[in-house]
Amino acid sequence: GCGVSALLQERGASVALLDYRPERAEYLSASGIDLHQEGQWRKVRVRCSAQPAGLGIPDLVIVLVKAYATASAAETLRPCVGPNTSVLTLQNGLGNWETLQRVLEPDGKRESKILAGTIVMGAATEGIGKVRLSGVGPIVLGSPTGDHERAQQVAEELARFWPQVQSVEEVEAALWRKAIANAAINPLTALHEVPNGRLLEEPELRADLRRLVEEAVAVARASGVEPFDTDPIEAVEGVCRLTAANHS
């Protein structure tokens, strides 16, 4: 969340960060966010608050909390969601957009403003507001309920501030692709205490990575989703390369 908001802010977007911890929000507003990228630290000032009503009504809300906090985050951000506000989850995991829709659109009658997507980004915190980036890649987004015009409009707006943004119609496949990459990379790097890139350097780890990809792809297909239109192992290994220095 800190990394994405800081990058958007310094690239010209008007950003406000909503936190659930008042003391941290106050600290971030006063001190800014420190980003480490390409060997150097830099400071980015981002407006931050724990009071959603004071942030106004944005064009776009981006949800970047852990999946287990999605429901409570949705309740918190209600005052920020106006009739024309789009809500985009770029979270890891499956089921996040459904949770947002259940909380923010309980009647299910109006046109859904919920969008879903993925982001390739290696980021680690080194204290409050200190973020070390180890890879920043594309954003892929779409409308899981079929409002492709809304998705395209949001993608075009984000593309003004982010290097690569793509709107896709089959966004469920994109969500599964990210979940498969995480299911393969994160357990191995955590258990062996190695950065992502090491999985490609050690034959045994690379073999385990490939087996995990194959198993996760089988689960996706059993769920009715064909997640990749290219070789899935090559795709996940590509994520390892892009985020080679990242520690899960």
Side-chain angles (χ1 to χ4, degrees), residues 25-142:
E26 184 178 355
Y27 176 86
L28 290 173
S29 278
S31 301
I33 295 170
D34 293 301
L35 284 186
H36 185 276
Q37 195 174 21
E38 297 178 352
Q40 292 184 326
W41 286 97
R42 66 186 187 275
K43 186 176 289 291
V44 183
R45 299 285 182 178
V46 179
R47 183 163 59 111
C48 185
S49 176
Q51 302 297 325
L55 295 178
I57 304 298
D59 296 322
L60 175 65
V61 171
I62 301 177
V63 181
L64 284 164
V65 300
K66 296 294 187 183
Y68 56 73
T70 303
S72 60
E75 291 284 359
T76 301
L77 63 83
R78 275 181 185 274
C80 295
V81 180
N84 298 315
T85 302
S86 296
V87 180
L88 169 63
T89 164
L90 294 178
Q91 300 161 269
N92 290 332
L94 302 170
N96 291 304
W97 75 261
E98 294 93 332
T99 299
L100 290 170
Q101 187 179 51
R102 186 170 62 251
V103 175
L104 297 174
E105 301 174 341
D107 55 21
K109 295 179 181 178
R110 56 191 166 185
E111 185 179 52
S112 179
K113 60 184 68 178
I114 309 298
L115 302 175
T118 65
I119 182 171
V120 177
M121 186 174 184
T125 55
E126 298 189 357
I128 297 176
K130 293 179 72 68
V131 182
R132 185 180 293 271
L133 300 179
S134 56
V136 178
I139 291 174
V140 176
L141 65 89

Side-chain angles (χ1 to χ4, degrees), residues 138-160:
I139 291 174
V140 176
L141 65 89
S143 170
T145 60
D147 189 350
H148 303 308
E149 182 178 352
R150 179 186 293 269
Q152 183 61 38
Q153 289 174 347
V154 169
E156 290 174 0
E157 182 66 17
L158 268 179
R160 296 171 53 203

